[in-house]
Amino acid sequence: MTADALAELADPSALREWLAAGLDVGCGERVIVGVRAGGRVAIAAAGEQGVTDTACDAPMPIGCLAKLFTAALVMQARAAGRLGLDDPVAERLPSGAGIELRGITLRHLLEHTHGLDDSLLERAPRCEDGRIDARRLVAALAAAPRLAAPGEIYSYSNAGAWLLAAVLETAAGLAYARLLHDELLAPLGVAAGVRCSASGGGEICPAVGGALAVRVRGLLELVGAHAPCDGDAGAGTPLPGWHPLERGCRLGWKVHAPGWLGHQSAWPNASALVRVHPRAGVALAVCSTGPAAAVVAARVLGARLPELAALRVPRLLDVGSAEASAAKRGEGLYRTARYAVSVAAGAGGGLVLRTAARTGGRYRPAARASLCPAEHGVCFTRPALAEFPYVQLVSPCAAGYRFIWNGRFVLPRREDSARRA
């Protein structure tokens, strides 16, 4: 990227123009976009009154971007010699709290390869002093069968960030919120960008943000200071299968197009996205209470940074093709504590996917869709299902495939236990 291109990215007037041209913001909605490039920072905001400067410094909910804050705290503790990435988690929690976590390291937690199933947990249990209750959290995680052995396969969840926060609290003797302020945000000069809101219940969550809200300028500071550099602790973990934008996970950061790292949140009213290219010195942050942050980034900056919108979509195949027929080896049942998914033969030689969700202690039918085969073993659901817009059978084995992947998490093949459920 040339110096002129970098300068244009961080031109405030140009950013306001791109935001105005690329986005319509509805009543009560707010969108803030920030770019750091070539040593300059530009921030623009859009709301009911159009593109203005008045809302550029407003704290915004960040949702799942909180995982990057947690990862940054862990890496700071590692740099200070207080923690090691290959430390066993069981040895870093209060005595007896982590006995069920044998074989899991801090690196596994950062890269979502711990193999734990947290699909029924909506939040981490807390002690009276506000810290995460490590014993209750581990007991809840141990109540569900593991998805896989530690380090075997990536599956995105919140459990890693919750356990990392418990490790940090145990090591420092301080609550996560205090550590976040004292060790991360205050040194970056963005402590004033954190607030507790009634809607968030007053709790700051190390996985999904909760009451945490941060200025876009603060997000740019964070990604600039804490994104992993090329030499940091290995190449990371690849995804189990296809994703339109993501390639893997590296020390808590999603790996995107070559050179790009980041993360995003799709929570209602807390849609947020960050991307950073450490070598080029480019970072961007988008927070939105309306349109999805990923859509905002593509519309506003996609012409200058085409990698933000460059989707890799597998080509659809004929149902009778050899590659499509290979997917039939994946017929069977796949299950987590929350979801049960069956893949079975349908009319016309195709496959049908049926899902069930756990409510009241039982799996209850939720949805049914035909599977439309595509390249690389990907099958799109028709009609498209919210949690399973596509599936991919991964990790071939003698029985067919060990897992089914939906672009976010895996469900292991557990035919016998799923049949009993």
Side-chain angles (χ1 to χ4, degrees), residues 98-412:
I99 191 169
E100 293 91 345
L101 304 180
R102 288 194 183 97
I104 300 176
T105 66
L106 302 191
R107 188 190 303 272
H108 292 145
L109 298 182
L110 280 170
E111 299 198 349
H112 301 280
T113 58
H114 46 73
L116 300 170
D117 182 357
D118 71 349
S119 58
L120 287 180
L121 299 182
E122 295 184 359
R123 60 176 60 193
R126 303 270 182 164
C127 300
E128 290 186 3
D129 62 3
R131 300 186 202 182
I132 290 176
D133 189 326
R135 290 182 176 84
R136 289 170 56 205
L137 174 58
V138 172
L141 292 169
R146 286 196 182 187
L147 302 175
E152 180 180 359
I153 196 166
Y154 169 100
S155 189
Y156 182 81
S157 72
N158 296 324
W162 290 335
L163 287 168
L164 287 169
V167 167
L168 290 165
E169 291 178 335
T170 301
L174 297 171
Y176 176 87
R178 178 70 179 274
L179 291 171
L180 183 67
H181 174 272
D182 292 354
E183 297 192 11
L184 188 65
L185 297 177
L188 289 175
V190 296
V194 181
R195 66 181 182 185
C196 290
S197 63
S199 61
E203 288 184 351
I204 291 177
C205 177
V208 298
L212 182 61
V214 178
R215 293 176 173 86
V216 164
R217 188 178 298 274
L219 289 176
L220 293 174
E221 292 287 342
L222 176 89
V223 299
H226 292 285
C229 299
D230 288 346
D232 282 349
T237 300
L239 298 186
W242 174 77
H243 190 283
L245 289 171
E246 298 174 10
R247 306 293 186 268
C249 185
R250 185 177 176 198
L251 300 177
W253 295 68
K254 300 290 184 68
V255 178
H256 297 277
W260 286 93
L261 302 169
H263 205 76
Q264 71 183 63
S265 169
W267 282 78
N269 300 316
S271 185
L273 171 149
V274 294
R275 295 284 188 275
V276 59
H277 195 302
R279 183 173 294 180
V282 177
L284 61 99
V286 178
C287 290
S288 173
T289 61
V295 173
V296 174
R299 288 182 178 175
V300 176
L301 296 168
R304 285 88 194 166
L305 297 172
E307 53 267 47
L308 294 176
L311 304 181
R312 305 179 305 161
V313 180
R315 179 175 56 89
L316 290 174
L317 302 173
D318 183 85
V319 172
S321 68
E323 189 173 354
S325 297
K328 294 180 181 178
R329 293 184 59 241
E331 290 186 37
L333 293 157
Y334 303 81
R335 185 178 71 86
T336 64
R338 182 175 182 180
Y339 294 108
V341 171
S342 71
V343 177
L351 293 173
V352 173
L353 182 133
R354 293 179 175 85
T355 70
R358 197 178 190 94
T359 57
R362 295 182 60 190
Y363 292 101
R364 301 181 187 278
R368 179 187 185 279
S370 298
L371 291 179
C372 301
E375 293 175 310
H376 315 306
V378 175
C379 293
F380 294 96
T381 56
R382 296 291 183 272
L385 304 181
E387 284 285 357
F388 299 91
Y390 70 89
V391 294
Q392 184 177 8
L393 297 157
V394 296
S395 298
C397 64
Y401 294 87
R402 292 196 60 215
F403 302 96
I404 196 168
W405 159 253
N406 72 345
R408 189 166 180 266
F409 54 84
V410 297
L411 296 87

